[in-house]
Amino acid sequence: MTEYTDPACPWAWGSEPVFRLLRQGLSPRLEWRRVFGILFDEDDDPAPDPDAEARWYEGFVKGVAAHTRAPYAARLQWLTRTSWPASLAAKAAQEQGESVAEHVLRRLRETTFILGRPADSLQTMAGVLKGVQGLDVERLLEGRAMKAARVAVREDWAETRRPIREVRDLDGPGPHPGRVKEVGEGCRYALPTLLFE
């Protein structure tokens, strides 16, 4: 199973309970691989009015939450500037074990969707991840670990932008049918997407 996701994706946040149940129900027969697709890229143009953009996205998150029944912050302090720092931290956490990686990703999502303060900089990551059970924050944020995570997430970014033919024109029910998303000159998997092989 491959999960294409992003720490800042409200659909991925709302899907977490179902995905956890799926992993639990299918383990140990299931190998689950997480690919970080980067919803908010480093070279995206900044919003001309960041507060207005945050208010729009706040409304979008509320709409997703109405569908998924996921909790959400009463106010989003700012729109995630980039998904890279959270994706790097989540990817680097995989080196410390599956359970630690799950807790790290959940904490990163909670900063946006519960606290309304996205974890979108490596400078604040130590404070954000403090107290995550079993996590060695210093090891996670050391240069070598972050360099390896950057290589891995760059590969994830590229893989996410090579979707299989079957999802290009997918038209499922509901507000998030799973069809690929147009990005720049190409497309990527919708986030989240589960690919069973």
Side-chain angles (χ1 to χ4, degrees), residues 18-145:
V18 174
F19 289 2
R20 265 185 267 131
L21 183 63
L22 185 62
R23 277 194 307 272
Q24 183 182 30
L26 294 177
S27 69
R29 298 179 308 242
L30 176 71
E31 181 183 327
W32 193 286
R33 186 173 69 95
R34 189 168 280 136
V35 175
F36 293 97
I38 305 296
L39 182 60
F40 297 99
D41 215 334
E42 292 173 317
D43 60 357
D44 289 345
D45 292 332
D49 183 344
D51 190 58
E53 189 78 7
R55 298 296 66 78
W56 177 87
Y57 199 66
E58 187 177 276
F60 178 73
V61 168
K62 287 178 183 177
V64 171
H67 183 76
T68 64
R69 298 185 179 154
Y72 59 90
R75 181 163 178 85
L76 185 60
Q77 301 301 314
W78 64 86
L79 180 63
T80 302
R81 296 172 191 106
T82 172
S83 298
W84 276 93
S87 296
L88 292 172
K91 184 62 84 171
Q94 292 175 353
E95 294 300 316
Q96 296 187 37
E98 184 179 331
S99 177
V100 171
E102 289 297 319
H103 285 91
V104 165
L105 182 56
R106 183 153 182 92
R107 173 70 61 86
L108 293 168
R109 287 182 170 150
E110 288 171 347
T111 64
T112 298
F113 301 111
I114 299 296
L115 303 177
R117 295 187 303 272
D120 58 2
S121 80
L122 284 175
Q123 292 75 20
T124 61
M125 206 57 67
V128 167
L129 297 176
K130 183 179 178 184
V132 171
Q133 184 178 1
L135 177 67
D136 182 337
V137 177
E138 287 182 21
R139 179 178 150 207
L140 179 94
L141 296 175
E142 73 181 358
R144 186 173 45 86

Side-chain angles (χ1 to χ4, degrees), residues 174-196:
H176 189 32
R179 183 178 349 174
V180 298
K181 301 292 181 182
E182 301 297 323
V183 288
E185 302 282 319
C187 60
R188 65 161 168 77
Y189 283 107
L191 303 174
T193 290
L194 295 183
L195 182 62
F196 293 79

Side-chain angles (χ1 to χ4, degrees), residues 161-179:
R161 281 148 183 82
R162 291 188 307 269
I164 61 173
R165 180 178 40 82
E166 289 83 357
V167 298
R168 292 190 178 267
D169 295 317
L170 191 63
D171 194 20
H176 189 32
R179 183 178 349 174

